[in-house]
Amino acid sequence: MKKFSKYCFVFLFFLFLSNIASAQLVRFGLGGGLTSLKSPDAFVNSIENNGLGFSNNYHLTAIVKFNFPLIPITPAAFIDYHILRGSGSRNSNNIETSLNIFSIGVEGELIIIPLPLVKPYVAADISYNKFGDLQETSQLGSGSQPGMTRYGGALGVGAEITALPSIDLDLSIKYQLFNLVGKDSNESNINGITLNLILLF
């Protein structure tokens, strides 16, 4: 009897999620884009200029948007995975660098003008950012610095574009502050711009 009740609960739960999704109250999105760090110089400068070469890299993203007709703001929850890589030479040594940032957060979107096929919006994010180990490898060996966790935020603009009856394109650009809260006393700001392309279902 307990097993039967458990299976019934699971079935009803997934049925509930299916009904919500079919009613377009919840939409799921997958995509990615460009991660372009703007500071600090130690991250942005090329390896030849004593930096890490993380100026232009990419990220993967997943998002869930909740459409509530009675409120003007569209809440969302997202996961971003920023993959930062650099390569170059310094003092005749070939060097490769790597750092991953895992971000999980919430977002609020306010539609500016609800047009029939295009819905431009402004957005604000709050995120929890987990920095992985900073790796540096050369002919002389390899080294790493331990990761850290910080809280960040972002501001941006974007637009949802109707591509097919059941699929929308979500294009956005955001200014990211990866370590807005929780910095050490001598820690530089880690900021950047992200360009995002997401398929919404």
Side-chain angles (χ1 to χ4, degrees):
M1 187 65 181
K2 288 184 178 180
K3 285 187 176 181
F4 178 75
S5 299
K6 180 180 177 181
Y7 291 136
C8 284
F9 176 77
V10 172
F11 174 76
L12 291 174
F13 177 74
F14 281 106
L15 184 63
F16 176 71
L17 287 182
S18 176
N19 288 336
I20 289 178
S22 64
Q24 291 298 299
L25 294 178
V26 176
R27 290 185 298 164
F28 303 92
L30 294 172
L34 174 69
T35 299
S36 178
L37 293 187
K38 298 302 179 185
S39 66
D41 290 341
F43 277 29
V44 176
N45 288 349
S46 65
I47 290 175
E48 291 81 358
N49 292 322
N50 298 314
L52 294 170
F54 291 156
S55 58
N56 292 303
N57 282 267
Y58 65 97
H59 65 273
L60 305 173
T61 187
I63 192 169
V64 180
K65 293 190 177 187
F66 304 90
N67 294 324
F68 300 124
L70 299 180
I71 61 174
I73 295 176
T74 301
F78 64 88
I79 295 174
D80 289 339
Y81 188 65
H82 302 270
I83 303 169
L84 309 179
R85 298 291 183 270
S87 62
S89 62
R90 185 190 304 142
N91 300 325
S92 301
N93 293 319
N94 293 325
I95 297 174
E96 294 185 352
T97 58
S98 65
L99 173 67
N100 299 326
I101 306 174
F102 177 80
S103 302
I104 182 169
V106 294
E107 178 173 292
E109 298 176 0
L110 177 63
I111 294 177
I112 304 171
I113 305 173
L115 301 175
L117 298 178
V118 180
K119 297 177 181 177
Y121 63 84
V122 294
D125 296 359
I126 299 173
S127 61
Y128 169 83
N129 303 310
K130 181 174 177 57
F131 292 75
D133 292 347
L134 174 60
Q135 305 280 347
E136 184 172 314
T137 305
S138 71
Q139 294 131 309
L140 301 177
S142 61
S144 66
Q145 297 179 19
M148 60 186 183
T149 58
R150 298 289 186 267
Y151 293 94
L155 295 173
V157 295
E160 290 186 10
I161 304 169
T162 300
L164 295 171
S166 59
I167 297 178
D168 290 341
L169 294 177
D170 188 351
L171 300 171
S172 66
I173 180 171
K174 299 177 184 178
Y175 187 74
Q176 302 269 358
L177 301 98
F178 289 100
N179 61 341
L180 182 62
V181 177
K183 294 194 297 286
D184 293 336
S185 58
N186 59 345
E187 185 176 322
S188 300
N189 294 328
I190 303 174
N191 302 332
I193 293 175
T194 58
L195 296 172
N196 309 283
L197 172 60
I198 299 171
L199 291 179
L200 289 174
F201 304 93

